[in-house]
Amino acid sequence: MPGGRPRGFDIDSALDRALEVFWRYGYEGAALSDLTAAMGINRPSLYAAFGSKAELFDRALERYVDGPGRYLTEAIELPTARAVAAAYLAGAIELTTGHDSPGCLSVRSAQACGPEAEHSRKSAVAVRLAGEAALRRRLERARADGDLPEDSKPADLARYLMTVSDGIAVQAASGAKPSHLRRTVDIALRSWPQP
């Protein structure tokens, strides 16, 4: 016996379009009607394919991390701790100030305030903590390799980078120019510990 009607839409394309809606309007601001219209599907198809709006958001957030947010993954592959820090912060500037950029999805979602957005806030916080942990592990390796001073604290440095990155996102959302944000990063990197 056949297993039901075949899906009439491309999941990857639908996720890309859902990501755009969540990124632009946030979890609370993304109405189901906006999502289904952008994805080119109806509500029953959304629920059948993704389960719920919250589950769709989680899938879109994963896509964001692997797509626009991949600059973190690329940065931690660089050969020195300073290069990691510089590339990570440059990536934050590029993401949040790019042409028609809606900003940083994880910062926007972590700051969500209504009860309906609690799921998205928790999901974004988990993504951010995973990013901070990845930075910490990379900086621990740098310290073990002698690329950071022995007395440096990788957890504190990772948190510092995340905090500066968050500030970049907030400033970009307020209209800060990339050149101004690059100068801010230059100042931040002056305090970076040298081996």
Side-chain angles (χ1 to χ4, degrees), residues 107-121:
V107 169
R108 172 179 285 185
S109 299
Q111 294 173 337
C113 54
E116 184 189 338
E118 185 60 17
H119 175 86
S120 71
R121 189 189 72 73

Side-chain angles (χ1 to χ4, degrees), residues 18-80:
L19 170 57
E20 290 173 15
V21 173
F22 283 127
W23 199 357
R24 188 148 311 276
Y25 300 110
Y27 183 82
E28 285 179 307
L32 281 173
S33 57
D34 297 329
L35 289 163
T36 55
M39 296 166 76
I41 61 175
N42 59 30
R43 283 184 188 209
S45 294
L46 184 147
Y47 292 129
F50 302 104
S52 67
K53 180 181 174 183
E55 291 171 288
L56 175 60
F57 177 81
D58 288 346
R59 296 272 302 273
L61 189 57
E62 288 172 16
R63 204 158 188 86
Y64 173 82
V65 169
D66 294 336
R70 74 182 169 275
Y71 64 92
L72 168 62
T73 305
E74 293 169 356
I76 62 177
E77 296 301 321
L78 294 174
T80 68

